[in-house]
């Protein structure tokens, strides 16, 4: 049988049907499965579903691809959280099936903080006060709040008792409320009481809270209550210089100086029918600004810190606020200090040594001192008249008038001591007549200051008392340091200038009386400055008694030297009181050469 020809018997090859790709270009490039059941985003937008057939992948290869895609997603989120541009993510983000990858995802998607870093978060300041936190009862809080406004507000005069009530302050600012209650507790129970020690740790936290709040929201104007809180802490804190500058910066950001200009402009606007009545908040802001001004000058003139704010207009301009209807009796104390510290600041700047000649001439020093003494006397007489004319604080007249005299004596004392420093002579034995006269004037001012501290005042309805010493439990740190220094300098100048023993015994008696009154006022717990006062009196008393015994001349010289060299470390590192470098070292050159000749 004949086989058929191959060409005849073989059927023509069946042409392979060409597959028409139904996948879109995007899916073909990315090689992703896309069908009617799971269409890609592009196909959903066009309303069509594409089908693309591909060779099944190896399971191991598919697993590696999932891991690569997961790592790519993590890197993308990290770039976004750090503010870096990242390519637009495709729809290939896979679900995190692995627990470790899922935990990684929860970390990197944490909302970033204000500084743009997702690895750090800032602590939120506390919003609950000490009553809600259980640190003290409401009854104690109310009692200590009242104590604060019995005297602390006189030393930190930036509050108004008609507005800053218990309920009002607590509702407006939990931090300011805690600060007021804490320092009221300090005045009522003492620095070393367990109550105050508990609240002191809270004050440290609130100091951090206030600084953190100002740092975390630099674009938002600071609250007036936050500035008041910082200023109060600065007044009672060892770090007052730093905190005062932070409060000053916050006050500038809040626009307090601009508000002060607006307040003065409203007073000058005589055409307005409600002149000065529509700006109660402006007076509150002015009060806080002037409080910062006074604290800055105290810390610069008496604490050695660089002055952070100065006044270019006349300080007498503050008297325009005396007639403001919202003005309080405590404001008079504040406004008077604004003028006083401006006068002191001008004198201190004038007595600064000339960088060329290194010292001022005696005539220049005399002219500056006499001019400043005249300004201080005018200040005292005019503010006494203003106080007498104030009908709103008749019960406080005696105390306020006494405070004016004490502040005047302090200003005169520091002025004379600054003048001695400017003369460039520390050894009283080598002073000229004019320099010695300045030293004698400083001694007289120091003695007057001590006697004013012990002045009895007849209060309305009460027996005569020493109100200044009794109110020291409310005082800020500067007042404690100032009084300790004044007792030290009055005794030292008495010895250095050769006062007779009877006069020195009188000064020692007054110093003992001051210490006794402090004990009666319950201030023995302030260990630091009580120790300074006690050591001052003890060392001076030994020196005086030894000098009165002629047979113990060597011992007298030793005691005198011991007292002259006594400078408490608090005055060296925390304050910058003048006159502590004064000494008396006699040089008899004729006797010295005579001794050499005799020896030869």
């Amino acid at each position: 049988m004949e086989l058929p020809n191959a060409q005849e018997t073989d059927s023509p090859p069946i042409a392979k049907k060409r597959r028409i790709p139904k996948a879109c270009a995007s899916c073909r490039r990315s090689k992703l499965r896309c069908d009617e059941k799971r269409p890609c985003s592009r196909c959903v937008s066009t309303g069509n579903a594409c089908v693309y057939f591909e060779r099944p992948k190896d399971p191991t290869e598919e697993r590696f691809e999932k891991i690569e895609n997961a790592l790519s997603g993590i890197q993308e989120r990290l770039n976004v959280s750090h503010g870096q541009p990242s390519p637009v993510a495709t729809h290939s983000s896979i679900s995190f099936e692995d627990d470790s990858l899922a935990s990684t995802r929860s970390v990197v998607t944490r909302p970033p903080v204000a500084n743009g870093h997702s690895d750090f978060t800032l602590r939120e300041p506390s919003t609950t006060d000490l009553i809600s936190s259980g640190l003290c009862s409401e009854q104690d809080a109310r009692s200590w709040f009242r104590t604060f406004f019995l005297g602390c507000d006189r030393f930190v005069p930036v509050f108004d008792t008609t507005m800053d009530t218990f309920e009002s302050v607590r509702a407006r600012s939990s931090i300011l409320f805690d600060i007021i209650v804490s320092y009221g507790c300090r005045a009522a129970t003492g620095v070393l009481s367990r109550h105050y020690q508990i609240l002191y740790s809270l004050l440290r936290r609130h100091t951090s809270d206030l600084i953190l709040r100002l740092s975390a929201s630099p674009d938002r104007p600071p609250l007036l209550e936050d500035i008041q809180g910082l200023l109060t802490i600065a007044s009672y804190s060892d770090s007052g210089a730093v905190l005062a500058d932070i409060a000053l910066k916050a006050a500038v950001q809040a626009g307090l100086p601009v508000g002060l200009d607006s307040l003065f402009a409203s007073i000058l606007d005589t055409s307005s029918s409600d002149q000065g009545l529509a700006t109660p908040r402006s007076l509150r802001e002015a009060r806080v600004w002037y409080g910062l001004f006074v604290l800055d000058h105290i810390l610069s003139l008496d604490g050695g810190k660089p002055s952070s704010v100065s006044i270019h207009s006349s300080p007498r301009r503050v008297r325009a606020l005396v007639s403001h209807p919202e003005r309080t009796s405590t404001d008079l104390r504040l406004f008077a200090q604004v003028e006083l510290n401006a006068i002191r600041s001008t004198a201190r700047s004038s007595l600064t040594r000339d960088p060329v000649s290194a010292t001022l001439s005696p005539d220049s020093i005399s002219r500056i001192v006499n001019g400043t003494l005249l300004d201080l006397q005018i200040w005292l007489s005019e503010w006494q008249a203003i106080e007498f004319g104030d009908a709103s604080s008749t019960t406080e007249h005696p105390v306020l008038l006494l405070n004016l005299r004490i502040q005047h004596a302090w200003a005169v004392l520091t002025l004379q001591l600054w003048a001695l420093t400017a003369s460039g002579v520390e050894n009283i034995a080598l002073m000229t007549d004019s320099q010695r006269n300045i030293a004698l004037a400083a001694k007289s001012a120091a003695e007057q200051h001590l006697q004013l501290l012990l002045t009895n005042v007849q209060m309305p309805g009460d027996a005569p008392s020493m109100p200044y010493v009794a109110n020291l439990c409310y005082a800020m740190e500067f007042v404690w340091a100032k009084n300790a220094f004044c007792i030290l300098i009055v005794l030292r100048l008495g010895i250095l200038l050769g006062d007779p023993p009877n006069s020195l015994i009188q000064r020692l008696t007054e110093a003992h009386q001051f210490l006794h009154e402090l004990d009666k006022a319950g201030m023995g717990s302030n260990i630091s400055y009580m120790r300074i006062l006690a050591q001052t009196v003890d060392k001076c008393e030994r020196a005086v008694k030894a000098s009165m015994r002629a047979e113990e001349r060597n011992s007298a010289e030793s005691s005198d030297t011991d007292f002259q060299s006594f400078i408490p470390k608090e005055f060296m590192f925390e304050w910058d009181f003048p006159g502590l470098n004064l000494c008396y070292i006699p040089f008899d050159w004729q006797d010295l050469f005579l001794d050499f000749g005799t020896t030869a």
Side-chain angles (χ1 to χ4, degrees):
M1 181 175 180
E2 187 178 357
L3 295 175
N5 194 327
Q7 289 181 339
E8 296 177 1
T9 58
D10 292 341
S11 60
I14 300 175
K16 187 175 181 180
K17 186 177 180 180
R18 184 176 181 181
R19 177 177 59 81
I20 299 176
K22 296 183 180 181
C24 61
S26 175
C27 294
R28 290 201 302 272
R29 284 196 300 269
S30 58
K31 297 183 179 182
L32 293 177
R33 185 180 299 279
C34 182
D35 53 28
E36 290 83 350
K37 296 182 179 180
R38 299 180 59 187
C40 66
S41 59
R42 182 186 298 274
C43 295
V44 170
S45 64
T46 59
N48 298 320
C50 58
V51 179
Y52 178 68
F53 300 97
E54 62 179 351
R55 178 175 59 84
K57 295 181 180 179
D58 181 81
T60 303
E61 180 182 351
E62 194 173 34
R63 174 69 173 173
F64 278 117
E65 184 176 346
K66 288 184 178 181
I67 295 176
E68 289 178 357
N69 288 335
L71 294 176
S72 176
I74 293 173
Q75 182 63 46
E76 176 188 345
R77 292 185 182 90
L78 287 174
N79 291 338
V80 172
S81 66
H82 286 278
Q84 299 177 1
S86 60
V88 178
T90 65
H91 192 66
S92 60
S93 300
I94 63 173
S95 61
F96 286 83
E97 300 174 352
D98 188 26
D99 292 340
S100 62
L101 292 179
S103 63
T104 304
R105 182 184 187 188
S106 66
V107 172
V108 299
T109 57
R110 181 186 306 157
V113 295
N115 59 7
H117 295 285
S118 62
D119 295 337
F120 306 95
T121 56
L122 296 179
R123 174 175 58 81
E124 290 292 334
S126 175
T127 57
T128 58
D129 55 53
L130 45 78
I131 298 177
S132 302
S133 302
L135 291 177
C136 78
S137 65
E138 182 175 347
Q139 181 180 0
D140 287 338
R142 286 186 178 275
S143 175
W144 295 334
F145 191 93
R146 288 193 299 268
T147 301
F148 182 90
F149 285 98
L150 289 177
C152 295
D153 62 321
R154 273 69 163 180
F155 292 97
V156 191
V158 294
F159 298 97
D160 182 354
T161 55
T162 61
M163 176 171 291
D164 296 318
T165 62
F166 183 91
E167 290 77 12
S168 175
V169 175
R170 189 181 183 190
R172 285 184 280 130
S173 172
S174 60
I175 292 182
L176 180 60
F177 176 80
D178 288 357
I179 292 171
I180 291 175
V181 172
S182 298
Y183 286 118
C185 173
R186 174 184 183 267
T189 65
V191 177
L192 299 183
S193 68
R194 177 164 179 78
H195 291 295
Y196 180 67
Q197 289 179 12
I198 294 174
L199 297 182
Y200 182 74
S201 61
L202 181 66
L203 287 173
R204 297 177 63 183
R205 175 185 175 88
H206 283 333
T207 302
S208 175
D209 287 343
L210 290 172
I211 297 175
L212 188 62
R213 178 182 294 177
L214 296 175
S215 303
S217 54
D219 298 331
R220 187 188 68 181
L223 300 175
L224 187 65
E225 288 79 9
D226 289 349
I227 302 173
Q228 287 175 305
L230 274 174
L231 192 155
T232 304
I233 296 176
S235 299
Y236 289 97
S237 172
D238 294 337
S239 306
V242 177
L243 296 179
D245 281 347
I246 296 175
L248 188 64
K249 178 183 177 182
V252 173
Q253 292 176 338
L256 266 58
V258 178
L260 185 63
D261 292 338
S262 300
L263 177 59
F264 284 130
S266 68
I267 294 175
L268 292 175
D269 187 8
T270 57
S271 62
S272 176
S273 59
D274 57 347
Q275 177 185 358
L277 297 177
T279 57
R281 179 172 176 82
S282 296
L283 182 62
R284 290 181 60 210
E285 294 177 348
R287 185 184 294 125
V288 173
W289 177 255
Y290 280 131
L292 285 168
F293 175 84
V294 170
L295 181 60
D296 177 79
H297 276 61
I298 288 175
L299 295 175
S300 60
L301 294 173
D302 304 307
K305 104 181 232 317
S307 180
S308 300
V309 58
S310 57
I311 186 170
H312 299 294
S313 60
S314 172
R316 292 168 56 91
R317 187 176 299 178
V318 74
R319 300 189 189 185
L321 302 178
V322 170
S323 58
H324 194 284
E326 303 293 333
R327 191 265 301 163
T328 66
S329 59
T330 306
D331 288 335
L332 290 182
R333 180 195 298 259
L334 172 63
F335 298 157
Q337 290 185 45
V338 170
E339 279 195 47
L340 178 63
N341 283 281
I343 295 173
R344 296 182 66 218
S345 179
T346 300
R348 179 69 182 271
S349 300
S350 301
L351 288 171
T352 302
R353 291 187 177 183
D354 186 354
V356 178
S357 62
T359 184
L360 293 172
S361 66
D363 290 341
S364 298
I365 294 176
S366 178
R367 184 172 59 255
I368 294 170
V369 169
N370 291 335
T372 305
L373 288 174
L374 180 59
D375 291 337
L376 292 174
Q377 186 58 46
I378 294 174
W379 170 88
L380 177 61
S381 60
E382 290 184 345
W383 275 101
Q384 283 177 332
I386 292 174
E387 178 57 39
F388 273 122
D390 180 34
S392 63
S393 61
T394 54
T395 58
E396 295 191 37
H397 275 330
V399 177
L400 293 177
L401 292 172
L402 176 62
N403 287 336
L404 288 174
R405 295 173 62 194
I406 291 175
Q407 292 169 11
H408 175 265
W410 169 253
V412 173
L413 169 61
T414 52
L415 171 67
Q416 303 289 2
L417 294 177
W418 289 337
L420 278 180
T421 302
S423 68
V425 178
E426 299 177 359
N427 186 0
I428 292 181
L430 302 180
M431 287 183 177
T432 63
D433 290 341
S434 61
Q435 292 168 337
R436 187 175 179 85
N437 288 335
I438 296 176
L440 289 170
K443 183 175 77 71
S444 177
E447 292 171 350
Q448 183 184 13
H449 187 277
L450 177 56
Q451 292 164 5
L452 287 171
L453 299 182
L454 300 172
T455 299
N456 281 297
V457 175
Q458 179 69 52
M459 301 296 293
D462 296 330
S465 62
M466 298 180 184
Y468 186 86
V469 181
N471 290 328
L472 284 179
C473 60
Y474 308 106
M476 53 195 289
E477 294 300 307
F478 161 70
V479 177
W480 275 99
K482 180 189 75 170
N483 290 324
F485 165 76
C486 283
I487 292 180
L488 172 63
I489 203 68
V490 71
L491 296 175
R492 174 171 291 187
L493 288 175
I495 289 181
L496 295 178
L497 293 172
D499 281 7
N502 291 338
S503 177
L504 293 174
I505 293 297
Q506 177 63 29
R507 301 287 86 80
L508 283 170
T509 301
E510 293 170 347
H512 277 296
Q513 185 181 3
F514 183 76
L515 288 172
H516 177 67
E517 292 296 327
L518 288 178
D519 288 336
K520 286 174 54 179
M523 296 308 298
S525 59
N526 197 313
I527 291 180
S528 176
Y529 293 109
M530 283 294 294
R531 174 181 54 81
I532 292 174
L533 291 173
Q535 289 183 355
T536 297
V537 175
D538 181 63
K539 288 179 178 293
C540 181
E541 201 163 26
R542 288 204 307 266
V544 171
K545 289 181 178 180
S547 64
M548 294 174 66
R549 295 193 293 266
E551 66 275 13
E552 298 179 6
R553 185 177 303 275
N554 293 334
S555 174
E557 292 177 358
S558 175
S559 299
D560 182 74
T561 303
D562 180 47
F563 180 64
Q564 287 192 45
S565 61
F566 175 61
I567 302 178
K569 64 180 181 62
E570 289 83 357
F571 295 163
M572 296 175 61
F573 299 106
E574 298 176 12
W575 303 100
D576 186 29
F577 296 131
L580 293 173
N581 59 335
L582 295 175
C583 59
Y584 183 82
I585 305 176
F587 290 100
D588 195 334
W589 296 107
Q590 183 177 359
D591 292 344
L592 180 62
F593 289 123
L594 180 62
D595 291 340
F596 278 131
T598 303
T599 304

